[in-house]
Amino acid sequence: MREVSSFLTLFKFSAKLTILTICLTAKLVGASGNSTVVSTGETVIVSPLSFAVLGQNATFRQNFKDFFNPTNSTPPFFQLFHPGFQAILGSNAFVRRIATNTTFASGSFAFEAPIFNPPTNELFFASGLLPPESSMTHNNRVSKINMTMVDISLERKATDINIPFTTLSLPETVQVTNGGTGPFKGSLLFATRGRQNLPPALVLVNPTAPNNATVLLDNFFGRQFNSMNDLKIHPSGNIFFTDDTFGFVNDQRPPPSLPSQSYMFDPETGLVRMVSDGAITPNGIAFNADGSVAYIADSSALINNTLSATIYAYDVDAKTFAFNNRRVFAFIDTGIPDGIQVDTNGNVYAGCGDGVQIFREDGVLLGKIFVGANVANMAFAGDGRLVILAGSSIFLAQIEAKSALFTI
């Protein structure tokens, strides 16, 4: 009852704000005649009661990739389902498109592996993972944008901007970049999918020219990994990564020789061990601030939409680092969960089919950064700046939250 009361209080405040600012208000009226949906500028407030019952003659979503946008609002915008979302957004939140490019194959110049490098104030990212952008015979590309240019441009223009990007020339040891995190001891840390018989690998890349690379790991006791997906650095200094079969599914890699699993790699000793299995397609991975809880996205609904589109939570063993006590954290309503980030308050951010979905630490959906496109990954570029990779576009959400990402 307390959450319902909080929601009604927030709703009444937002309704008054709408009138005072002469904003366009969109309302969905229920049987009782009470307004249950309010749009105020960039934030659309949607009470779960407004769609709890749609009725026998309603039009239901038939495809798991269809958007849930009951107000028919034009993206990008914030979609609030719970009053707790307001604390994440703060009082000056906005979301803007900051870069666009449609010349890359598959329409995905900004897709995966986002890494913010504070010393240069640059955001690195990789292009698409689907043919023809990346294939058995073609590597994808890693590019970067300058966040200082973003800040200056947004100060001058309070609308969408288009910041130029620079594509890096990387060594042949970096093949089909999928995951990215760091910095790790001054370098970018990538997980590569590999292609043909070129092995997937954990690779360090110098963020400055000539962008030389050092391979940290490319096998499990002599066996190639299937196709590394995503990775994070744990507060222990160990590197954790997921390994799936998407490389084979997308005709980039030979048939898998290992189960789809998650691993730990100790860069000091070279020790590598499996820490979690059970996910059909382990994808994004993240930790809470102290590293005691791990999150893994299972994206197997891409293969069959009756399979998992679920984020699972695990307890991380303090001694062995094995992932124990697997439990459902959240199920995604649109698309699949992909890259995951966590903020300092324990909220979990997931790239999904409609944008970024944000969950409280107990799995309650607080709201979405609705960009109207599939988001494979995102990264905080400093406090309150969430950079969102959405294929042909990059978005910046200015919010109140701060990243819990561990770097060395």
Side-chain angles (χ1 to χ4, degrees):
M1 290 299 294
R2 183 167 54 189
E3 290 190 353
V4 172
S5 176
S6 297
F7 192 96
L8 291 175
T9 299
L10 179 61
F11 170 80
K12 291 175 182 177
F13 170 78
S14 299
K16 292 177 181 178
L17 180 63
T18 304
I19 296 171
L20 289 173
T21 56
I22 322 178
C23 291
L24 175 64
T25 300
K27 297 183 179 180
L28 179 63
V29 180
S32 64
N34 293 324
S35 300
T36 51
V37 177
V38 174
S39 175
T40 59
E42 295 194 55
T43 301
V44 176
I45 301 172
V46 184
S47 166
L49 288 173
S50 68
F51 56 88
V53 178
L54 296 180
Q56 293 181 340
N57 297 320
T59 300
F60 293 87
R61 298 164 64 192
Q62 300 299 318
N63 190 308
F64 82 117
K65 295 182 180 180
D66 291 342
F67 297 149
F68 181 68
N69 183 7
T71 56
N72 292 317
S73 300
T74 301
F77 59 91
F78 300 109
Q79 196 175 50
L80 184 152
F81 296 103
H82 187 282
F85 195 38
Q86 195 63 53
I88 292 173
L89 298 181
S91 58
N92 298 305
F94 65 81
V95 55
R96 298 284 185 273
R97 183 181 279 104
I98 60 172
T100 302
N101 187 283
T102 58
T103 65
F104 280 54
S106 308
S108 55
F109 99 101
F111 193 70
E112 277 280 14
I115 305 174
F116 176 59
N117 186 50
T120 59
N121 202 25
E122 293 173 319
L123 192 286
F124 294 79
F125 55 92
S127 62
L129 299 169
L130 297 176
E133 175 60 23
S134 58
S135 65
M136 280 278 194
T137 59
H138 191 265
N139 197 1
N140 69 344
R141 289 168 273 185
V142 174
S143 303
K144 65 179 182 178
I145 58 172
N146 188 297
M147 295 305 296
T148 301
M149 293 181 63
V150 171
D151 294 338
I152 293 172
S153 297
L154 287 176
E155 286 178 0
R156 295 173 177 172
K157 183 180 179 183
T159 58
D160 291 346
I161 57 177
N162 193 8
I163 297 299
F165 65 94
T166 302
T167 298
L168 280 59
S169 177
L170 297 180
E172 285 297 305
T173 49
V174 185
Q175 290 292 332
V176 188
T177 302
N178 195 338
T181 194
F184 181 83
K185 299 182 179 179
S187 294
L188 311 175
L189 178 57
F190 290 123
T192 69
R193 181 177 283 188
R195 61 184 177 90
Q196 290 187 331
N197 292 318
L198 300 175
L202 298 180
V203 186
L204 291 177
V205 173
N206 189 335
T208 60
N211 303 118
N212 48 298
T214 302
V215 177
L216 297 180
L217 176 72
D218 68 1
N219 72 93
F220 181 76
F221 294 91
R223 300 168 69 181
Q224 283 194 16
F225 294 100
N226 298 327
S227 49
M228 290 185 186
N229 192 309
D230 206 357
L231 77 168
K232 289 293 189 301
I233 305 164
H234 187 265
S236 63
N238 295 317
I239 300 167
F240 290 75
F241 62 95
T242 56
D243 185 46
D244 61 33
T245 60
F246 274 149
F248 170 69
V249 171
N250 292 321
D251 295 323
Q252 298 159 331
R253 291 278 296 146
S257 62
L258 290 166
S260 292
Q261 302 177 142
S262 300
Y263 297 85
M264 182 207 80
F265 173 66
D266 183 344
E268 297 296 325
T269 66
L271 171 69
V272 58
R273 59 168 296 180
M274 187 269 284
V275 294
S276 174
D277 62 3
I280 300 173
T281 308
N283 194 330
I285 185 171
F287 297 98
N288 67 344
D290 65 6
S292 62
V293 178
Y295 300 95
I296 293 179
D298 188 342
S299 302
S300 49
L302 275 181
I303 302 170
N304 181 326
N305 64 14
T306 64
L307 296 177
S308 179
T310 304
I311 301 172
Y312 293 96
Y314 305 77
D315 296 326
V316 180
D317 189 282
K319 182 177 181 180
T320 67
F321 300 105
F323 291 2
N324 300 320
N325 188 26
R326 169 179 158 165
R327 54 203 180 270
V328 169
F329 175 75
F331 178 76
I332 303 303
D333 76 284
T334 305
I336 52 97
D338 204 324
I340 309 174
Q341 302 291 344
V342 181
D343 70 22
T344 52
N345 290 319
N347 301 303
V348 176
Y349 300 60
C352 302
D354 51 5
V356 179
Q357 300 191 12
I358 303 174
F359 301 86
R360 200 168 62 186
E361 60 182 345
D362 60 357
V364 171
L365 177 63
L366 299 177
K368 301 180 181 181
I369 305 174
F370 196 109
V371 301
N374 180 66
V375 170
N377 221 323
M378 83 296 310
F380 281 91
D383 292 343
R385 298 194 304 180
L386 187 69
V387 179
I388 301 166
L389 306 183
S392 60
S393 295
I394 301 176
F395 293 86
L396 172 68
Q398 184 69 47
I399 57 179
E400 190 70 21
K402 300 178 181 180
S403 175
L405 182 71
F406 185 80
T407 62
I408 297 177

